[in-house]
Amino acid sequence: MPDHLDDLAAALPQPRLDALRAELARRAAASDLLDVAYRTLETELGTLLLAATPAGLVSVTFDGDDPSATLERLAVALSPRVLEAPARLDAAAQGLERLIGGAARGFDGALDLSLAHGFGRQVIEQLQQIPYGQTRSYAEVAEAVGSPRAVRAVGTACRKNPLPIAIPCHRVVRSDGNLGQYAGGPEAKRILLGVEGSAA
Amino acid sequence: MTRAPFDSIVAQHGARVWRVCRALLGEHDADDAWSETFLAALEAYPRLAAGSNVEGWLVTIAHRKAIDVLRRSTRLRVGEVPDRPAPDASVPGRSRDLDLARALARLPQRQRETVVLHHLGGLPFAEVAAAVGGSADAARRASSDGVRRLRELLGGVDA
């Protein structure tokens, strides 16, 4: 009987489940229960995964095609109250699209830096000072944050930048002119620098 | 202990929770109860003990929310007998769903709840009893009476 009952029970079609989930995200936001909203975004650089807290955009990663690992990390680091809520991220998505397409020179939405700690946070804040269309070497950034010998640590901090594109870690390149590493891959870095007119 | 993003909980258990809601309520009310269930679960989720049976937890909440919705809509629709909510007989199609919903709606409330929680919700009788009150044995008897009655109503569904 259990199997038969289960077979007979009303099945929930996928579109209906999707609609219920969208409504849940809307009500969760209205009740201040949406701690981490996320959406994916197709771009020239690949499929991005964007996440936001009520304070602002908190994470941009290049794994939108397979976001589960990042979502699990965000659930642990920020809050397990994670829901897909594209509408909450529409403005941020447009801001990033404008940056990638060269229609904007800076990200004008709110940013939440709570995923960057300690030295990494210092470096990230320094990166925000590099003007559009210019680059700095890892050594120059290390010097700027007052730790001229911490060149490698600056490299690590750039790679771990929780908000690439919005915070321009792509503007940090190697002193020898080599582009250096990038979370989104070297091609993504080349595209972003090319859009800014500062391609190596 | 890592805690799964709530979104994955919804993806994994959303369909079952809806079945439980739908078995106790009409179509529109089932959507309401589904939303209320996951909203309440979202609120409590960070405090859920590690290693908890998430599905059982959700089914228990869904049962409570469905009963709340039932009470609310019963108050609104004057004259309706509380333990027999009318399924949306006007909705065409999906006759098998409708048959089960109709048959379930004709069970006394206690039988209906125990059948739904155990057979559709997957709760063991001890947890069914915790949700509906009384002993596990009483819940088992109510469920088995309910299943027998359902079989008669549905005519020809084998055990």
Side-chain angles (χ1 to χ4, degrees), chain B residues 38-110:
Chain B
F38 279 106
L39 207 56
L42 177 64
E43 198 279 324
Y45 185 56
R47 299 185 301 277
L48 182 67
S52 295
N53 168 8
V54 174
E55 184 167 275
W57 176 65
L58 289 171
V59 165
T60 307
I61 299 174
H63 169 253
R64 205 167 55 231
K65 293 299 178 186
I67 298 303
D68 285 351
V69 171
L70 203 55
R71 287 199 183 113
R72 259 201 322 265
S73 55
T74 304
R75 270 200 302 274
L76 292 174
R77 293 183 213 144
V78 181
E80 200 162 77
V81 183
D83 65 358
R84 298 199 177 175
D88 319 338
S90 59
V91 178
R94 288 207 298 277
S95 59
R96 289 193 341 149
D97 301 355
L98 214 52
D99 284 349
L100 180 67
R102 276 193 186 130
L104 278 167
R106 293 179 62 180
L107 298 184
Q109 176 155 352
R110 192 177 169 77

Side-chain angles (χ1 to χ4, degrees), chain B residues 116-128:
Chain B
V116 168
L117 287 174
H118 181 69
H119 290 290
L120 295 183
L123 291 188
F125 283 114
E127 288 174 35
V128 175

